[in-house]
Amino acid sequence: MTMMHYKGYEASVEFDEAAEIFHGEVLNLRDVITFQGSSASELKQAFAESVEDYLEFCKGRGEQPEKPFSGQFVVRAPSVLHKALSLAAKRDGVSLNKWITTALERAVK
């Protein structure tokens, strides 16, 4: 699977050998944004146009466009772990949010 990026939106692209066409879909949205093209340049243009159409559609309805990632997510953890994390953050003199964000950043490097 190939990935494309435009204005913070990420899309997966696949090639349909039978139809001889590339088709893509923007990922991580509840809204559905698709596009297609028969060449790389056509596909890139169609992706940009689809995102721009989506942004204009939202603007016309007075709605905020959905973003792929808001920067917030809920994590459920056992209370014992929650307590240990909170104590570790206090020991380090930072908020629980900052402590967890730092740990996650280290984990994905």
Side-chain angles (χ1 to χ4, degrees):
M1 184 179 343
T2 301
M3 304 303 285
M4 295 178 69
H5 301 87
Y6 179 76
K7 288 193 172 181
Y9 292 89
E10 185 174 42
S12 65
V13 177
E14 295 181 5
F15 180 67
D16 183 335
E17 189 174 359
E20 296 184 351
I21 196 161
F22 296 95
H23 56 89
E25 181 174 353
V26 175
L27 303 173
N28 303 311
L29 298 179
R30 287 185 306 270
D31 295 322
V32 177
I33 304 173
T34 60
F35 55 96
Q36 65 184 31
S38 57
S39 68
S41 60
E42 194 175 294
L43 185 69
K44 188 174 181 178
Q45 181 178 346
F47 178 32
E49 288 173 357
S50 291
V51 170
E52 293 297 336
D53 287 348
Y54 171 69
L55 297 174
E56 283 298 314
F57 174 77
C58 290
K59 184 178 178 181
R61 293 184 59 146
E63 299 173 354
Q64 287 295 318
E66 188 179 355
K67 293 289 184 182
F69 294 98
S70 68
Q72 298 179 12
F73 61 95
V74 175
V75 176
R76 301 199 191 289
S79 60
V80 172
L81 177 58
H82 189 177
K83 180 181 178 182
L85 293 170
S86 183
L87 290 172
K90 284 184 193 233
R91 235 184 351 262
D92 290 350
V94 296
S95 70
L96 178 58
N97 187 70
K98 177 65 177 167
W99 196 93
I100 291 173
T101 300
T102 301
L104 293 172
E105 286 171 344
R106 278 190 231 128
V108 298
K109 287 184 180 178

